[in-house]
Amino acid sequence: MTTVTIPKVSEFIEVEGTRYAYRKFGKETGIPLLFLIHFRGTMENWDPNMIEPIAKKRPVILFDNKGVGETRGQTPITIAEMAKDAGAFIKALGLEQVDILGFSIGGMVAQELALQHGDLVRRMILAGTSPESGVNPDPEIIERMNKNTTTQEEGLEDFMFFFYSPTDTSRSLGMASLQRIFGQKTVNSSDQVQQSQLQAIAKWAQQKEDHQFEWLQSIDHPVLVTNGVTDIMVPTKNSYILTEKLPNAQLIIYPDSGHGHLFQYPEMFAEHVNLFLNSQTYEASKN
Amino acid sequence: MTTVTIPKVSEFIEVEGTRYAYRKFGKETGIPLLFLIHFRGTMENWDPNMIEPIAKKRPVILFDNKGVGETRGQTPITIAEMAKDAGAFIKALGLEQVDILGFSIGGMVAQELALQHGDLVRRMILAGTSPESGVNPDPEIIERMNKNTTTQEEGLEDFMFFFYSPTDTSRSLGMASLQRIFGQKTVNSSDQVQQSQLQAIAKWAQQKEDHQFEWLQSIDHPVLVTNGVTDIMVPTKNSYILTEKLPNAQLIIYPDSGHGHLFQYPEMFAEHVNLFLNSQTYEASKN
């Protein structure tokens, strides 16, 4: 089998005054899969054990959206603008259609992108994410999310708390993943990213009255929704809602895991992603 | 790739006065997967397009439990007794451990079997099923379930109504599956089966006060829970409950489908089953 290694150096493309950093690799032919990372993450925050088996089967694009990691500029304060930037980046690469894997805030951006540029997207994986006006975390979780950590130990413990279940198995698999991620990490995001992303998420999470998530009906792409069974940060209930309200969504929930399910089970998750993206079942529909 | 054909003729084994009909085929080595069929079904009610890709990867056993299809005797009126019979059948075959795929009432029997004979079961797939004291269908659905159909057309329309979503895609894929099933059907169940199974299901569905499904904690086997997103007969909510309350359960929900999800997407479902049963992820735990 071909070996795939994630490149350590980025390429750049300039679009509307922003120089986007990205890394494109993997199989040379096929629809590329674009990855949209979680809150405060950069393209170096993906677990390589999850990325590599996916990249063996299709071209993969990791990128830093505006203001994030190696891409300079101001991170916008709405999900819609983040999606607009991602769309401009895809078009600048000369791509007519991509698959999208959006994790957490990245999944929110993916939904907006599908609404703004339906034809640009073939299929989507929405991991550990929420529809607009979804179910919010418990108040004590929100409080802890908004607290600034002062030491590296606190930061690490917060990450483990938010991404993994409080079981020995989940925490030790989570720690192993984190070490793989740390092993490739060279760039962090600017300070402005966190505040802008928090503002964007807060606006996205705002409750609307009398809605039935009717806008999700417009996203008729084949979608794979995933999460861990006990995500405390983006409650798992949101994945049920996405599956029930999107017209063509499959759901996979993983045991003994939370928000970081895709990093806890990187090989199984990658197999599910490849199976979904390759499936002939969706050939009958327009995508 | 090897071709697998479901044998048209049954073998028999006598256990405690009952002569059980079964068909064992597929790959010769490996843990066998035992199939437990839905209400009123026999071992000829499985969609061959779903069975064959699974049988390519492992030994498969279809069987008729007591009173069903080619197995004579009185069908018991509790799920627990059905599980006891299934356990006796497995042991009589000289098997020390099996995987189980239980669909609908078959999934209820599978749960009881795991509680009664934990060591006999390695991993389980629970398709379109419910925990004891789960969420019941809406009253008008229960009314239609209890109504006896008089014509073949009514029977067919009821089957389509209960197993598939009211969309063109779901119904046409469902009808194609039903034709594949009809193509292999030679034996029906006796009249006594329906009344006994209905009694057993009604007792299983009875609400208990103040329970949190705590007995599901005892089923620590790796479990794959599956259903369609809009099962009206065994409401999909039950699959969420099983996933949340069983300690080691993965969930897959299929789009645009209901109770008959496994027949609507036979190839994709078979791939998910093979992936789950082969997964190394569970090797660390006792199973």
Side-chain angles (χ1 to χ4, degrees):
Chain A
M1 210 184 282
T2 356
T3 316
V4 167
T5 316
I6 303 174
K8 293 192 190 313
V9 178
S10 301
E11 297 175 76
F12 292 87
I13 189 166
E14 186 153 334
V15 194
E16 295 162 12
T18 300
R19 208 165 150 259
Y20 288 91
Y22 70 100
R23 301 184 196 171
K24 186 167 186 293
F25 55 98
K27 199 177 160 194
E28 294 202 356
T29 55
I31 304 266
L33 177 60
L34 177 71
F35 285 76
L36 302 175
I37 191 72
H38 61 74
F39 176 56
R40 292 179 68 183
T42 74
M43 66 172 127
E44 291 175 330
N45 278 86
W46 296 105
D47 187 331
N49 283 18
M50 183 204 85
I51 296 288
E52 285 164 15
I54 295 175
K56 277 182 191 168
K57 303 291 183 187
R58 65 199 73 252
V60 153
I61 303 170
L62 313 181
F63 98 116
D64 286 338
N65 212 340
K66 201 183 285 179
V68 169
E70 294 182 78
T71 300
R72 301 211 176 149
Q74 288 276 110
T75 293
I77 57 169
T78 67
I79 300 293
E81 285 170 274
M82 292 173 189
K84 190 168 157 283
D85 292 339
F89 165 74
I90 295 166
K91 286 183 189 166
L93 287 180
L95 298 168
E96 285 179 13
Q97 208 173 39
V98 293
D99 294 329
I100 307 264
L101 189 155
F103 176 26
S104 200
I105 189 177
M108 301 168 190
V109 175
Q111 291 169 66
E112 271 295 329
L113 190 57
L115 285 169
Q116 288 179 19
H117 300 284
D119 292 341
L120 210 51
V121 180
R122 191 188 67 123
R123 299 182 186 179
M124 291 198 292
I125 298 103
L126 301 177
T129 195
S130 162
E132 204 178 337
S133 301
V135 175
N136 287 326
D138 291 339
E140 68 271 23
I141 303 292
I142 296 182
E143 202 176 311
R144 186 156 172 183
M145 283 166 74
N146 287 323
K147 215 181 66 186
N148 266 313
T149 50
T150 47
T151 67
Q152 210 176 348
E153 287 72 27
E154 268 182 24
L156 177 65
E157 184 43 41
D158 267 9
F159 180 83
M160 293 304 295
F161 173 78
F162 287 126
F163 272 58
Y164 295 99
S165 292
T167 61
D168 289 347
T169 41
S170 182
R171 286 180 66 93
S172 77
L173 290 168
M175 189 54 81
S177 167
L178 196 58
Q179 281 164 352
R180 291 191 293 270
I181 292 169
F182 279 167
Q184 69 188 359
K185 195 83 184 141
T186 59
V187 180
N188 287 313
S189 289
S190 74
D191 288 344
Q192 186 253 333
V193 172
Q194 180 169 356
Q195 287 315 312
S196 300
Q197 288 187 338
L198 277 178
Q199 238 179 298
I201 293 169
K203 186 158 181 260
W204 175 269
Q206 261 169 20
Q207 298 303 303
K208 299 177 182 181
E209 275 188 26
D210 288 337
H211 75 86
Q212 290 293 320
F213 301 100
E214 63 278 356
W215 58 90
L216 293 177
Q217 281 295 326
S218 311
I219 303 179
D220 60 355
H221 308 72
V223 174
L224 172 62
V225 178
T226 70
N227 209 346
V229 68
T230 52
D231 186 339
I232 52 171
M233 191 157 54
V234 185
T236 307
K237 181 99 187 0
N238 290 298
S239 294
Y240 298 165
I241 295 171
L242 284 168
T243 308
E244 289 164 6
K245 300 298 181 180
L246 287 165
N248 193 2
Q250 185 186 125
L251 173 69
I252 303 188
I253 297 291
Y254 296 87
D256 181 36
S257 60
H259 200 61
H261 62 286
L262 64 177
F263 297 164
Q264 180 168 339
Y265 304 112
E267 296 84 6
M268 202 197 304
F269 181 83
E271 284 203 77
H272 283 141
V273 166
N274 282 330
L275 191 54
F276 166 72
L277 291 178
N278 288 346
S279 173
Q280 303 293 313
T281 301
Y282 300 104
E283 293 293 307
S285 70
K286 71 163 186 152
N287 297 300
Chain B
M1 212 185 280
T2 354
T3 315
V4 168
T5 316
I6 303 173
K8 292 190 191 313
V9 179
S10 301
E11 297 175 76
F12 292 87
I13 189 164
E14 186 153 333
V15 194
E16 295 162 13
T18 300
R19 210 167 150 255
Y20 289 91
Y22 70 99
R23 301 183 195 172
K24 184 168 187 291
F25 54 98
K27 198 176 162 194
E28 293 201 358
T29 55
I31 305 266
L33 177 60
L34 177 71
F35 285 76
L36 302 176
I37 190 72
H38 62 75
F39 176 56
R40 294 178 67 182
T42 74
M43 65 173 126
E44 292 176 329
N45 277 86
W46 297 104
D47 187 331
N49 283 18
M50 182 205 88
I51 296 288
E52 286 164 15
I54 295 174
K56 278 183 190 168
K57 302 290 183 187
R58 65 199 73 253
V60 154
I61 304 170
L62 313 182
F63 98 116
D64 286 338
N65 213 340
K66 202 182 284 179
V68 170
E70 294 182 78
T71 300
R72 299 209 179 150
Q74 288 275 111
T75 293
I77 58 169
T78 65
I79 300 294
E81 285 171 274
M82 293 173 189
K84 190 167 156 283
D85 292 339
F89 165 75
I90 295 166
K91 285 183 189 164
L93 287 179
L95 299 168
E96 285 179 13
Q97 209 173 37
V98 294
D99 294 328
I100 307 264
L101 189 155
F103 177 25
S104 201
I105 188 176
M108 301 168 190
V109 176
Q111 290 169 66
E112 271 296 328
L113 190 58
L115 285 170
Q116 288 178 19
H117 299 286
D119 292 342
L120 211 51
V121 180
R122 192 188 67 123
R123 300 181 185 180
M124 291 198 292
I125 298 103
L126 301 178
T129 195
S130 161
E132 203 178 339
S133 301
V135 176
N136 287 326
D138 291 340
E140 68 271 21
I141 302 291
I142 296 182
E143 200 176 312
R144 187 158 171 180
M145 282 166 74
N146 287 323
K147 213 180 68 185
N148 266 312
T149 51
T150 48
T151 67
Q152 210 178 350
E153 286 72 29
E154 268 183 25
L156 177 65
E157 184 43 41
D158 268 9
F159 181 84
M160 293 304 295
F161 173 78
F162 287 126
F163 273 58
Y164 295 99
S165 292
T167 61
D168 289 348
T169 42
S170 182
R171 286 180 66 92
S172 77
L173 290 168
M175 189 54 80
S177 167
L178 195 58
Q179 281 164 354
R180 290 190 294 269
I181 291 169
F182 280 166
Q184 68 188 1
K185 195 83 185 147
T186 60
V187 180
N188 287 314
S189 289
S190 74
D191 288 345
Q192 186 252 333
V193 172
Q194 180 170 355
Q195 288 315 312
S196 299
Q197 288 186 339
L198 277 178
Q199 241 179 294
I201 293 169
K203 187 159 180 258
W204 175 270
Q206 261 170 21
Q207 298 303 302
K208 300 178 182 180
E209 276 187 25
D210 289 337
H211 75 86
Q212 290 294 318
F213 302 99
E214 64 279 354
W215 60 89
L216 293 177
Q217 283 294 325
S218 311
I219 304 179
D220 59 357
H221 308 71
V223 174
L224 173 61
V225 178
T226 69
N227 209 346
V229 68
T230 52
D231 187 338
I232 52 170
M233 192 157 54
V234 185
T236 308
K237 182 98 188 354
N238 290 297
S239 294
Y240 299 165
I241 295 170
L242 284 168
T243 309
E244 289 165 6
K245 300 296 180 179
L246 287 165
N248 193 2
Q250 186 187 124
L251 173 70
I252 304 189
I253 297 291
Y254 295 88
D256 183 34
S257 60
H259 200 60
H261 62 285
L262 64 177
F263 297 164
Q264 181 169 339
Y265 304 111
E267 296 84 6
M268 202 198 301
F269 181 83
E271 284 203 77
H272 284 141
V273 166
N274 283 329
L275 191 54
F276 166 71
L277 291 177
N278 287 347
S279 173
Q280 304 292 314
T281 300
Y282 300 103
E283 293 293 308
S285 70
K286 73 163 183 153
N287 296 299

